[in-house]
Amino acid sequence: MSSPLPAFAAVVVAAGSGSRAGGPKQWRRLGTKPVLRWSVEALLAAGAGEVVVVVPAGAGDEAATALAGLSGWRAVAGGASRAVSVQNGLAALGGPGDRPVLVHDAARPLLSQAVIARCLRGLEDADGALPALPVADSLRRAEGGVGAGAVDRDGLWRAQTPQAFRLQTLTEAYRAWPAEEPATDEATVVQHAGGRVRLVDGDPRLMKLTWPEDFAMAEALIPRQIRTGSGFDVHRWGPGAAVWLCGVEIPHDQTLVGHSDADAGLHALTDAILGAMGDGDIGDHFPPTDPQWKGASSDRFLIHAVERLHARGGRLVNVDVTLICERPKVKPHRQAMRERLAELLALPLDAVSVKATTTEGLGFTGRGEGLAAQAVATIELPAS
Ligand code: MG
C-alpha cells in the first residue's frame, strides 16, 4: 500500500481562445460534459483542496454553467499570455509555500487519478514533476513541405500536464522569468530558475485537444461500459381485427387489450433499454393512469427511452425480442418487425432480432388468453 497523497491545490488553465480548434474548446461538450468539467472533476475526485480555474475575462458565467453542481472551485480571469494566466491563478491560491500545486491545461480533459498521483509522488524528491511520453514516431525536419533530414529522437519526450510544484517554488520562478518571453509550460519556468524537474509516466489518453479533429479522437478514448437490460410484458387478447406487434400492425381475429396500443413487443423492449440504464420502467415514465397515453402508439415510449440514453451520452448496441403466442403466426411478419425496429432505433438490421415461440399449448399463452413478450437490450454508456 502506498501512503496517502499529500494535500494539494490545482490551477486549471482554461483561458485560451482556441484559435486552432476553431473556437473556445473549454466549454465544448465531450461525451456527456464540457471539456473543462472533465479535469476539474478529476482533480476534485483526487482530493484537491482548492481548484482555481483561470478563464477568459468576462467568462465567469460560462465557467459556472460548465461546473454547475461542483464545489471546491472558483474562477479567476486570465491574462494576455499563458504565463500571466497561471500567475493570476497562483495569486488566488492561499496556503503555505510548500503546498503542492498542480497546474493543468483544460484542453487535456482525460486526466486519470493515476497521473495525478504520479505527479504528486514525483514532487516528493524534486522541485517539480510532469507527465511525459517517449517520442515513438521518427522526427523529420522539413522546409516548405520538403524533408530536410531526420532529427534524433533520443532523449526527447512529449510533455503533458498537470505539472506539479510547490506554491512558493513556482511563484518565485515566475517572478524570475523574463516577462517578454513566452513560457511554454511551468517546467520550463522552474528549470530556468534552477529547479530540478522530474519526468513521470504520462498517459496517451491525456492528449491535448488542439485541432478540430481531435474531438473525435478524444470521444473514442472516453472510458465506456457495456450494460444489458431485460424487459417482459403481457397483454390479454380481446375482440378486434388487428394487433400491433413490434411496431407493425398485423390483421388478426383478435386484438391485445391495454391502455395504449398494447404492443407488448415494444413495451418489453422499452423496459429493456430503461433497465440497462437503471432508469426505472415504462410505467414510471408513462403512467397507465394518465389519460394522455390512452390508445397511444407505443413507438413514442421506445423513442423516449432511446432519447434518455442519448442524453446520457450512451448508444444502443443491439436488441433481441421474443414474442410468445400460439397465434397469430409471427414468422411472416418478422422481417417487417425487424425493419420497423431498426428504423425506430436507428440501428443496422443485423443488430435487431425478433424471434417467436409458442408454449406448446401450455399456460395462458397456450390457451390463447394473452401474448407475452420478452426483450434484451445491450447499451454502451460513458463510464463516468
Ligand atoms: Mg404493456
Side-chain angles (χ1 to χ4, degrees), residues 257-281:
V257 180
H259 187 64
S260 64
D261 66 7
D263 188 330
L266 290 190
H267 295 180
L269 187 49
T270 302
D271 264 355
I273 295 168
L274 293 171
M277 285 190 282
D279 194 15
D281 65 22

Side-chain angles (χ1 to χ4, degrees), residues 233-235 262-264 267:
D233 194 35
V234 169
H235 282 269
D263 188 330
H267 295 180

Side-chain angles (χ1 to χ4, degrees), residues 3 7 11 14 19 29 80 83 104 139 156 167 185 207 227 236 255-256 259 311 319 340 351 368 379:
S3 54
V11 172
S19 49
R29 193 173 145 120
H104 182 58
L139 297 176
L156 292 184
L167 178 59
D185 63 2
M207 61 178 284
R227 293 199 187 179
R236 103 180 38 247
T255 194
L256 290 173
H259 187 64
V319 300
R340 178 62 183 150
I379 66 171

Side-chain angles (χ1 to χ4, degrees), residues 29-33 38 109-110 205 215-225 313 380-384:
R29 193 173 145 120
L30 176 71
T32 54
K33 52 197 173 196
W38 284 87
L110 301 181
R205 286 168 301 181
F215 276 81
M217 193 181 296
E219 287 278 353
L221 292 174
I222 295 172
R224 292 186 168 263
Q225 55 182 320
E380 203 183 73
L381 274 181
S384 58

Side-chain angles (χ1 to χ4, degrees), residues 45-58:
E50 197 178 359
V51 177
V52 170
V53 180
V54 189
V55 299

